[in-house]
Amino acid sequence: MPPFTVQDFLKKKREGQKITMLTAYDFPFARIVDEAGIDAILVGDSVGMVVQGLENTLPVTMEEMLYHTRLVSRAVKSAMVIGDMPFMSYQTSLEEAVRNGGRFLKEAGASAVKIEGGSEIAEHVRVMTRSDIPVMAHIGLTPQAIHRMGGYRVQGRDEETARRLIEDAHILEDAGAFSIVLEAIPMELAKRITEELTIPTIGIGAGPHCDGQVLVLHDVLGLFERFIPKFVKRYANLKEEALKAIRDYKEEVEKGIFPAKEHSFR
Ligand code: KIV
């Protein structure tokens, strides 16, 4: 399969085909996601929670994100790799946004970056896009704003915030974002935004009407159990499988069953 690009995001929307996206953070899982034919891999700052065991995504650093993006880029043959810009790597200034956004493309093999926020980051989207750094926007529940939002809550349920989210989506499209993640918003609001924009919407907890969907890989595979949001569907329970395999190994070593002759040298 040829590499999936920003142009393919737009083409899929025009042709009414759904865009598939998952997160990944390392070589083996990125290989699997790529082999499965997923269109785009987001190296999300969710790495902080599902891999590093942090309470939220705020402490994740640029260097960590570049490291994980490199591992993923190395594994991928056709999926588009999108690097998630961590907290305070773009909010501080337009210059920082361009410099750090550029590092994802220059040093880590990403083809695009994602940043969180509404109209307040429109200028960041504009300057990065002008510098040939394709930007995916992210509105609704934006985990980097957890302290302002007071928790991981559905956004846009009242008229005023719904109106602001619609306005933000248009402003971000006008600023040059090639796509926009809608996280944890009512499905009718996501439908309206999806219909009004020419760029594709990628939903996570935003219902079935978005142009594509994204989930955190560790949620999909049953590898993260601290909490399971309502919008997650588990397609496997790899934790149980891993537990069984490791317990079997332990038992076989203890009983002298492993290693057998076929695992030993003469
Ligand atoms: O960090 C992440 O994984 C994300 C997705 C949940 C959209 O931002």
Side-chain angles (χ1 to χ4, degrees):
M1 257 196 298
F4 198 80
T5 67
V6 164
Q7 298 311 322
D8 295 314
F9 262 82
L10 302 167
K11 184 163 174 270
K12 275 207 155 179
K13 168 143 187 160
R14 275 198 312 272
E15 295 177 354
Q17 292 175 44
K18 293 284 187 188
I19 297 162
T20 57
M21 185 158 126
L22 277 173
T23 67
Y25 317 97
D26 62 22
F27 186 95
F29 278 120
R31 250 292 142 86
I32 295 168
V33 173
D34 187 57
E35 249 182 74
I38 292 291
D39 294 324
I41 295 181
L42 172 69
V43 187
D45 63 356
S46 50
V47 70
M49 297 173 77
V50 301
V51 174
Q52 299 176 346
L54 296 167
E55 280 299 308
N56 58 52
T57 60
L58 302 193
V60 176
T61 67
M62 260 307 287
E63 296 312 318
E64 288 165 350
M65 289 308 303
L66 291 174
Y67 169 75
H68 286 284
T69 306
R70 256 182 240 122
L71 306 188
V72 168
S73 299
R74 219 172 274 159
V76 157
K77 293 200 172 82
S78 60
M80 179 171 153
V81 177
I82 302 167
D84 204 7
M85 294 189 66
F87 185 56
M88 287 300 131
S89 69
Y90 56 96
Q91 292 94 337
T92 42
S93 74
L94 300 180
E95 285 78 8
E96 282 272 289
V98 174
R99 189 173 307 113
N100 285 324
R103 291 188 71 193
F104 278 92
L105 275 61
K106 202 174 165 72
E107 299 174 34
S111 305
V113 297
K114 177 173 82 59
I115 60 176
E116 298 181 7
S119 55
E120 71 281 3
I121 52 107
E123 205 46 37
H124 302 65
V125 174
R126 191 166 286 115
V127 294
M128 284 198 275
T129 305
R130 263 201 227 123
S131 306
D132 292 330
I133 304 164
V135 181
M136 172 177 270
H138 180 165
I139 61 171
L141 194 173
T142 47
Q144 292 178 12
I146 184 174
H147 294 307
R148 173 174 54 76
M149 294 184 309
Y152 297 116
R153 300 212 173 93
V154 176
Q155 303 291 303
R157 277 204 164 123
D158 62 283
E159 229 173 88
E160 167 58 18
T161 44
R163 190 192 53 71
R164 198 157 357 101
L165 285 169
I166 296 168
E167 217 174 86
D168 281 346
H170 281 284
I171 290 170
L172 291 162
E173 167 165 299
D174 292 345
F178 74 88
S179 176
I180 182 164
V181 169
L182 305 178
E183 180 164 354
I185 66 171
M187 62 181 174
E188 284 309 316
L189 175 59
K191 181 170 188 278
R192 178 160 171 201
I193 294 173
T194 300
E195 286 168 355
E196 288 188 12
L197 296 189
T198 57
I199 57 170
T201 59
I202 308 295
I204 173 163
H209 307 294
C210 297
D211 298 304
Q213 297 291 327
V214 60
L215 281 176
V216 168
L217 186 67
H218 289 53
D219 288 336
V220 169
L221 298 181
L223 286 170
F224 182 72
E225 48 187 13
R226 208 159 76 216
F227 60 86
I228 305 168
K230 174 183 163 70
F231 55 73
V232 164
K233 181 170 175 184
R234 261 197 185 172
Y235 286 83
N237 196 342
L238 291 200
K239 185 195 165 184
E240 283 310 312
E241 293 222 14
L243 254 181
K244 183 180 175 322
I246 293 164
R247 283 185 179 137
D248 287 351
Y249 164 76
K250 177 179 186 290
E251 189 182 327
E252 290 198 359
V253 170
E254 286 170 352
K255 289 186 173 161
I257 298 170
F258 177 84
K261 267 201 191 121
E262 66 264 31
H263 310 113
S264 309
F265 300 105
R266 282 187 194 281

